[in-house]
Amino acid sequence: MYILVSIAILVTMVLALVRALKGPTVYDRVLAVNMFGTKTAMLLAVIAYLYGRPDFLDLALAYALINLVGVLAVLEFFQNNHRDHAEYDND
Amino acid sequence: MTELLIDALSWLLMALGGGFVLIGGIGALRLPDFYTRIHAASLTDTMASILIFFGIILQAGFSLAALKLFAIMIFLLLTGPTASYALANAALQSGLRPEKPTVTSTGRDK
């Protein structure tokens, strides 16, 4: 059962990567990368029980912590960047 | 008997969670608009993580690993909607508007 769930999560990670490559706007890419990060934490938690090594849960916790900080930092960067250039191009 | 029941319940939860993850991934790829994609993507952050993590917690039983799994789940539940809100707010602030609704069956234009 673990292997089915991990395959589903892996397929979703591939779909998120496709959206990150295709995404028309930068926010689509950030959304896809955020989704990829949370799926990483979930995949690590499933793999910890697939291979019977619960140590992986610490890694999952670390990935979940890093992901939020990364997404918020990237968002803040793009928001401020857009505000600075708002008078030059408004797309 | 109880073992079998717990196993079946956890497998059911994990299968449902895997289905939600897959639906969310397909939705994030195929939906037409950014604001609809964020809806599909945040579905996998909340519902799917609740189902999958409760499925694994049932397998883990009363242990430190179950506590860690619960902590990861609570953390994902707190941060997923926060990140989705920040993303939608940033997109709206920067002037990205939702597409107008298109109803093709009644012949309304875009």
Side-chain angles (χ1 to χ4, degrees), chain B residues 65-90:
Chain B
L67 194 65
K68 279 182 193 167
L69 282 167
F70 194 70
I72 298 171
M73 190 192 77
I74 290 294
F75 191 76
L76 282 184
L77 281 184
L78 284 179
T79 59
T82 308
S84 295
Y85 162 72
L87 195 58
N89 191 34

Side-chain angles (χ1 to χ4, degrees), chain A residues 10-47:
Chain A
L10 276 174
V11 169
T12 301
M13 286 166 91
V14 171
L15 294 179
L17 272 189
V18 172
R19 174 48 71 192
L21 289 176
K22 261 176 70 176
T25 66
V26 68
Y27 299 105
D28 284 300
R29 297 177 205 272
V30 176
L31 174 69
V33 169
N34 178 28
M35 205 174 147
F36 192 83
T38 56
K39 292 304 151 301
T40 309
M42 285 164 68
L43 181 67
L44 275 171
V46 175
I47 276 181

Side-chain angles (χ1 to χ4, degrees), chain B residues 14-95:
Chain B
M14 275 195 276
L16 275 176
F20 266 101
V21 165
L22 213 51
I23 290 170
I26 293 170
L29 183 63
R30 294 206 25 107
L31 282 174
D33 190 7
F34 169 71
Y35 293 98
T36 53
R37 276 177 218 137
I38 205 171
H39 155 67
S42 61
L43 170 80
T44 67
D45 280 349
T46 52
M47 191 71 199
S49 72
I50 289 175
L51 289 173
I52 288 181
F53 278 107
F54 267 117
I56 306 177
I57 282 173
L58 282 184
Q59 291 282 334
F62 281 108
S63 59
L64 183 63
L67 194 65
K68 279 182 193 167
L69 282 167
F70 194 70
I72 298 171
M73 190 192 77
I74 290 294
F75 191 76
L76 282 184
L77 281 184
L78 284 179
T79 59
T82 308
S84 295
Y85 162 72
L87 195 58
N89 191 34
L92 199 64
Q93 294 282 328
S94 76

Side-chain angles (χ1 to χ4, degrees), chain A residues 23-76:
Chain A
T25 66
V26 68
Y27 299 105
D28 284 300
R29 297 177 205 272
V30 176
L31 174 69
V33 169
N34 178 28
M35 205 174 147
F36 192 83
T38 56
K39 292 304 151 301
T40 309
M42 285 164 68
L43 181 67
L44 275 171
V46 175
I47 276 181
Y49 278 85
L50 176 63
Y51 291 123
R53 296 174 64 179
D55 316 332
F56 276 25
L57 293 178
D58 298 333
L59 299 182
L61 199 51
Y63 266 89
L65 283 165
I66 290 171
N67 181 39
L68 174 79
V69 178
V71 167
L72 288 186
V74 169
L75 274 182
E76 193 63 28

